[in-house]
Amino acid sequence: MERKVLHWSYHNFRELPTELQDYSDEVEDIYLKENFIKEFPKWFFEIRFLKFLQISGNLIEELPEEIKFLSNLDFLDVSKNALKRLPACIGELKNIERLYVSENQLECLPEEIGNLEKLRVLECCKNKITYIPITLANCEALEELNLNDNESLYLKTLTC
């Protein structure tokens, strides 16, 4: 079966186009990279079959709690935005395999990130992260964790 894809990157959108609602029952992949989008309208979280969301390079300051309703997501890229935190409900996105949150203003990751059992890739570069929750160890499928350029992150090592 062919995936339904919308490529709306680099269109100078200030908000999510309402035309997207016309595709809400069939679209699986959405590319909205490098626009000027600040927030998600409530109707966006009714896109039932969405698996891939590329919305990096926008002006998003907050992921709303409703993100948990995108339960089919396996790829989420919100890099290069203005996020200060990830909501705890991010841990309810049980199908996420790749999560990209680099180049935001994040100071920490929520404890609930450890609920992402299918998570294989987590990119958190260029943030303000000061610690990583121990629950991340529950992500047994994790193959790649990138924390480069988090100047306040100090990894403590134990010496015997």
Side-chain angles (χ1 to χ4, degrees):
M1 187 169 102
E2 187 174 316
R3 288 175 76 142
K4 304 286 184 182
V5 179
L6 286 177
H7 285 279
W8 284 348
S9 297
Y10 307 100
H11 278 71
N12 294 322
F13 290 137
R14 303 262 184 256
E15 57 189 31
L16 285 170
T18 56
E19 294 86 1
L20 182 55
Q21 288 178 293
D22 297 337
Y23 304 104
S24 65
D25 284 340
E26 54 191 69
V27 69
E28 292 183 24
D29 296 11
I30 297 176
Y31 292 82
L32 285 162
K33 185 176 180 180
E34 300 295 333
N35 283 291
F36 299 96
I37 298 167
K38 291 184 178 181
E39 60 188 11
F40 294 94
K42 298 292 183 198
W43 57 259
F44 182 77
F45 303 102
E46 296 171 8
I47 302 177
R48 300 181 313 164
F49 302 109
L50 189 62
K51 293 182 178 183
F52 183 104
L53 179 57
Q54 165 61 270
I55 194 157
S56 66
N58 280 277
L59 303 170
I60 298 167
E61 294 182 9
E62 180 178 16
L63 288 180
E65 293 290 318
E66 290 85 359
I67 192 118
K68 67 185 174 190
F69 297 127
L70 299 178
S71 59
N72 291 312
L73 274 183
D74 62 22
F75 178 100
L76 177 60
D77 187 348
V78 291
S79 298
K80 297 181 183 178
N81 276 284
L83 295 174
K84 294 184 172 93
R85 67 174 197 85
L86 293 178
C89 69
I90 200 86
E92 296 181 42
L93 296 175
K94 300 293 186 181
N95 288 308
I96 285 283
E97 293 182 14
R98 294 173 290 163
L99 178 59
Y100 299 88
V101 296
S102 295
E103 296 186 53
N104 279 288
Q105 302 296 315
L106 300 176
E107 294 182 2
C108 63
L109 298 173
E111 297 286 328
E112 292 80 3
I113 203 157
N115 297 336
L116 302 177
E117 296 174 0
K118 294 183 179 180
L119 188 65
R120 292 186 302 109
V121 176
L122 178 57
E123 292 272 345
C124 303
C125 303
K126 297 182 181 178
N127 278 289
K128 298 178 178 181
I129 295 174
T130 57
Y131 74 94
I132 302 299
I134 192 70
T135 57
L136 192 60
N138 296 335
C139 299
E140 293 181 6
L142 194 62
E143 299 170 355
E144 183 179 331
L145 173 62
N146 193 335
L147 296 163
N148 291 338
D149 297 323
N150 282 283
E151 296 177 13
S152 299
L153 180 63
Y154 296 100
L155 299 177
K156 295 180 182 177
T157 57
L158 299 176
T159 55
C160 297

